[in-house]
Amino acid sequence: MANLTSLQTLDYIIVAVVAVLFLGIGFYFACLGGKQRTTREYFKGDGNMNVIPIVRLSYDFIIVYLISIMLYIFEVMSIMASFISSNAMLGIPAEVYYYGFNYFWITLGTFIGGPIAIYGFMPVFHKLAFTSIYEYVECRFNRTLRVSVGLMYIFSMIVHASFFIYAPALALSLMTGLTIWTSVLSTTIIGTIYTSIGGIKAVVWTDALQLIIFTGALLAPIINSGTSVGSFSYIFSKNMEGHRLANLSFDADPRVRFTFWGLIIYSIMNSLNLYGTNQTSIQRYLCCRNKITAQRTIWISLLGSFLITAVCCLIGLILYAMYWNCDPLASHQIQKHDQLFPLFVMQTMSSIPGMLGLFVAGVFCAALSSISSVLNSLTAVTLEDHVKPRWKSLSDEKATLLSKFTAVAYSILCLLVIAAIMNLGSIVQTVQYMIGGTMGASLGLFVLGFMNPWANAKGTFLGIVCGLAMGWWISFGNQIYRPPPNSLLPISTLNCSEILGDWRLRPNHNHTAFEFLLKIITDILEIYKISYVWIIPIACTVTVIIGSVGSLLIAKIDKGSVKNVDMKLLSPFVHSVMKKCFPNKHKELELKYKREISKELTNFQQSVKADEKLFECRDQV
């Protein structure tokens, strides 16, 4: 076997300093920086991230200006870090190694879906300033949908967070010798502590610092690859020989893992979901001073995400150039696809002092940035959608304290989910199969709410049920039957004997078991072989179509269930189209809404006066 060097004292010091730094930020905001006494500060950072730790320098205009720029950069970096996870850091290079560089084209749709989210979805949320985005669902439809979709979000985020925790555990267990569960517990404990006590301010600041460390951990192996692997011309030539740089297919077959149509449609919808209808994103938008700042922040975040995805794909090419003649998984050097990048770092950078520690810290940061954001968002949705409506007398101080305990409870629940996902497939694929149906149906709901003025609660609920059913049917069928990938590129063990000495090929099933497995595979429904990139688009499309048609039919059958739409709840795109194409209808809806608001305000004022008279009578008695 190849010699692997474990972490040295300097490496452990680097990891420990990073962990202590993040805990210190959490304790700062819990004990000194406002103390997170209100839910507004805990979830929104008071809507203004002008928090300057250590010292206040307001006497000098230039210094204040520079600090404001630094704070703005931190806000941008925080949003970027929220979507840059250990799943991407470890999973994308493995995807490129085994399935080719075509994964990179997933970035193209980002610059289509991103602007739609920036100018079509985000302004509505920023204007309404809801702590939970599912408050919008109740205003647009009804409370039943708000609770249902909120539960869907909680389920998907718990699964997502579990993978965020599990992914770095694979790397840490390989590089440090710790067991996977030791790595899982250490990551969870640190992320939970600074999130639960420090609130959104701690999350934003730690995210920004984590992005810096994460970027360093990604760039160091690329810079070092010139001496450890070869020149870029050598890397690209080896990948050409191994078909990793083949042309992107325009095949419409959804069973092909990466095609132009699948990648472009998936990336558009995934960007809409991440930047336009994601609780984590909306909380950060509300931390920005105004709508323009929030929009600029997303644009910079889109560019940063594009660059980091490109870097991860480049690392995948470097990995193939390194292991083209001795696949580490087939030769038992690793146990999981996603351990490929950590193995490469151990074999090529262990001679450089502190480099292994930097890489471990980078994986650690990628996980913590995602976990902290998810825990804070889960807590916000739980409090606003499920606790406050049932506990009317809950004070703001008690709500903030309850939020901190809720974050801890969710972290414990994630540990239970990890036990169930440990034996599933590669990270990138499995995450999409596990939560793609839920994310697609949820996106479909918001598309109906923002873009479809005639969508009503009953029709939308029908669409969500159908979208979920379709997405889960494909996803669970795939995870149960595990059809072999039809786009796996060839790997080689040609030179393993020279590299590793005594080794043996990873064993297959015995002949009888293999024949039985082959029989099962031939009987698998073709729908279970659909690529994971189609799960979100399928679930979203079914939700939107069924929801739109169902709303029209229900409106004709049950006219009493239809209510006038609040124009504030529709996308700016819809306002523009209605003003140009249906000006009379647009004016009619605005007038109806103003009348309803006036009527509700009058009723509210009357109820307030009635309550005041009642209290006066009680005082007299």
Side-chain angles (χ1 to χ4, degrees):
M1 297 291 289
N3 293 324
L4 297 179
T5 304
S6 59
L7 270 65
Q8 304 300 316
T9 303
L10 178 60
D11 301 315
Y12 284 109
I13 291 174
I14 292 173
V15 176
V17 168
V18 169
V20 171
L21 175 63
F22 297 152
L23 288 173
I25 291 174
F27 280 107
Y28 170 82
F29 285 111
C31 302
L32 299 175
K35 302 186 180 180
Q36 311 301 306
R37 289 172 176 160
T38 66
T39 53
R40 175 175 170 79
E41 184 177 10
Y42 190 76
F43 293 123
K44 300 179 184 178
D46 286 328
N48 183 4
M49 291 301 295
N50 278 327
V51 181
I52 308 173
I54 303 174
V55 63
R56 298 179 183 272
L57 300 171
S58 57
Y59 56 85
D60 190 319
F61 174 77
I62 297 177
I63 294 178
V64 171
Y65 180 71
L66 292 175
I67 290 175
S68 66
I69 294 176
M70 180 190 71
L71 291 172
Y72 175 67
I73 293 172
F74 266 46
E75 291 169 4
V76 174
M77 294 170 67
S78 175
I79 293 180
M80 289 175 59
S82 300
F83 302 122
I84 298 167
S85 65
S86 52
N87 295 354
M89 186 177 184
L90 303 181
I92 293 176
E95 280 285 298
V96 174
Y97 175 90
Y98 286 106
Y99 298 99
F101 189 74
N102 283 336
Y103 182 91
F104 168 76
W105 303 114
I106 207 169
T107 58
L108 293 181
T110 301
F111 293 99
I112 301 174
I116 297 174
I118 292 170
Y119 300 109
F121 290 6
M122 187 277 291
V124 178
F125 285 124
H126 200 277
K127 187 175 182 180
L128 297 172
F130 291 143
T131 300
S132 166
I133 61 173
Y134 302 106
E135 294 178 67
Y136 168 86
V137 177
E138 182 173 359
C139 292
R140 178 65 177 83
F141 298 108
N142 60 26
R143 173 144 188 83
T144 302
L145 265 181
R146 173 183 177 179
V147 173
S148 301
V149 182
L151 291 174
M152 287 166 50
Y153 171 80
I154 290 172
F155 165 77
S156 62
M157 286 298 99
I158 288 175
V159 174
H160 230 146
S162 301
F163 276 102
F164 292 150
I165 299 169
Y166 174 62
L170 293 174
L172 295 175
S173 63
L174 180 70
M175 302 184 73
T176 64
L178 298 174
T179 64
I180 286 182
W181 275 107
T182 303
S183 304
V184 163
L185 289 173
S186 60
T187 304
T188 305
I189 290 171
I190 293 174
T192 303
I193 289 175
Y194 78 72
T195 303
S196 61
I197 65 175
I200 190 67
K201 290 182 179 179
V203 172
V204 169
W205 280 73
T206 53
D207 277 356
L209 295 175
Q210 286 158 2
L211 180 62
I212 296 172
I213 299 171
F214 168 86
T215 304
L218 277 183
L219 293 179
I222 294 177
I223 296 170
N224 186 60
S225 65
T227 56
S228 60
V229 179
S231 65
F232 280 114
S233 61
Y234 170 81
I235 291 171
F236 285 115
S237 66
K238 281 300 176 185
N239 278 275
M240 290 290 289
E241 293 173 9
H243 307 288
R244 265 62 184 175
L245 291 172
N247 293 328
L248 182 62
S249 170
F250 281 81
D251 194 340
D253 187 352
R255 296 171 301 175
V256 179
R257 195 179 188 90
F258 299 139
T259 66
F260 172 82
W261 308 111
L263 291 175
I264 198 77
I265 294 172
Y266 164 79
S267 57
I268 290 173
M269 292 194 175
N270 193 49
S271 299
L272 278 174
N273 180 66
L274 289 179
Y275 295 101
T277 65
N278 186 281
Q279 175 68 27
T280 303
S281 303
I282 302 305
Q283 282 186 246
R284 278 165 177 67
Y285 303 159
L286 297 179
C287 289
C288 296
R289 297 176 186 82
N290 51 54
K291 183 180 71 174
I292 301 300
T293 303
Q295 289 174 335
R296 289 174 180 169
T297 298
I298 306 170
W299 271 115
I300 299 173
S301 178
L302 285 172
L303 179 60
S305 298
F306 168 81
L307 293 174
I308 289 179
T309 301
V311 168
C312 289
C313 289
L314 176 60
I315 291 172
L317 298 181
I318 294 171
L319 294 179
Y320 182 76
M322 177 73 175
Y323 300 113
W324 68 274
N325 59 354
C326 184
D327 177 63
L329 185 64
S331 59
H332 294 275
Q333 297 179 69
I334 56 176
Q335 298 299 315
K336 297 275 188 179
H337 297 81
D338 306 295
Q339 292 178 316
L340 195 61
F341 188 22
L343 176 73
F344 171 79
V345 172
M346 292 184 71
Q347 291 181 339
T348 61
M349 301 186 68
S350 58
S351 60
I352 305 175
M355 281 296 103
L356 294 186
L358 174 64
F359 180 80
V360 172
V363 177
F364 194 53
C365 289
L368 288 176
S369 66
S370 303
I371 296 165
S372 60
S373 300
V374 168
L375 288 178
N376 192 270
S377 300
L378 280 172
T379 303
V381 169
T382 302
L383 182 70
E384 297 296 329
D385 294 350
H386 303 285
V387 176
K388 284 186 175 180
R390 292 171 175 80
W391 192 350
K392 302 290 186 181
S393 61
L394 182 66
S395 66
D396 196 59
E397 186 175 351
K398 288 182 179 179
T400 306
L401 182 62
L402 180 62
S403 299
K404 297 177 181 181
F405 285 109
T406 303
V408 175
Y410 275 124
S411 66
I412 295 172
L413 188 57
C414 288
L415 295 178
L416 299 177
V417 175
I418 289 172
I421 65 174
M422 291 180 68
N423 296 318
L424 298 179
S426 64
I427 290 174
V428 172
Q429 171 182 299
T430 306
V431 167
Q432 293 303 323
Y433 277 125
M434 290 286 288
I435 65 175
T438 306
M439 292 173 65
S442 179
L443 175 61
L445 162 76
F446 284 103
V447 170
L448 286 169
F450 283 124
M451 311 297 285
N452 189 339
W454 70 80
N456 55 49
K458 291 183 179 179
T460 301
F461 184 78
L462 178 63
I464 289 175
V465 171
C466 294
L468 274 178
M470 180 61 73
W472 285 354
W473 178 30
I474 300 171
S475 299
F476 292 150
N478 179 276
Q479 293 301 297
I480 291 171
Y481 291 102
R482 303 281 186 90
N486 60 1
S487 306
L488 183 66
L489 295 175
I491 55 175
S492 173
T493 55
L494 181 66
N495 207 32
C496 285
S497 297
E498 181 180 336
I499 296 173
L500 303 176
D502 184 21
W503 75 283
R504 59 189 177 85
L505 191 66
R506 182 175 291 276
N508 257 326
H509 301 280
N510 60 52
H511 186 65
T512 305
F514 181 76
E515 287 181 345
F516 176 73
L517 180 62
L518 186 62
K519 182 179 184 303
I520 292 177
I521 290 172
T522 56
D523 293 336
I524 293 177
L525 293 175
E526 293 300 315
I527 197 171
Y528 297 150
K529 300 178 184 179
I530 290 178
S531 171
Y532 67 82
V533 300
W534 285 101
I535 303 301
I536 290 179
I538 288 173
C540 180
T541 303
V542 170
T543 301
V544 172
I545 293 175
I546 299 296
S548 299
V549 175
S551 294
L552 287 174
L553 294 175
I554 290 171
K556 290 184 177 181
I557 297 170
D558 184 10
K559 294 183 179 180
S561 65
V562 180
K563 67 177 183 178
N564 293 322
V565 179
D566 180 349
M567 299 301 291
K568 290 191 304 182
L569 303 176
L570 296 177
S571 168
F573 297 154
V574 176
H575 282 269
S576 299
V577 172
M578 290 187 71
K579 284 180 180 178
K580 290 181 180 179
C581 302
F582 310 100
N584 294 331
K585 185 65 175 177
H586 186 265
K587 289 180 180 178
E588 180 187 342
L589 287 173
E590 283 191 327
L591 287 174
K592 283 183 177 180
Y593 171 66
K594 288 178 181 178
R595 288 171 190 161
E596 288 185 355
I597 290 296
S598 177
K599 186 177 179 180
E600 290 177 3
L601 182 60
T602 302
N603 293 336
F604 176 73
Q605 290 173 342
Q606 290 175 352
S607 65
V608 170
K609 289 180 179 178
D611 290 339
E612 288 176 352
K613 288 182 179 179
L614 180 62
F615 284 121
E616 287 177 5
C617 293
R618 285 181 179 176
D619 292 339
Q620 291 175 2
V621 172

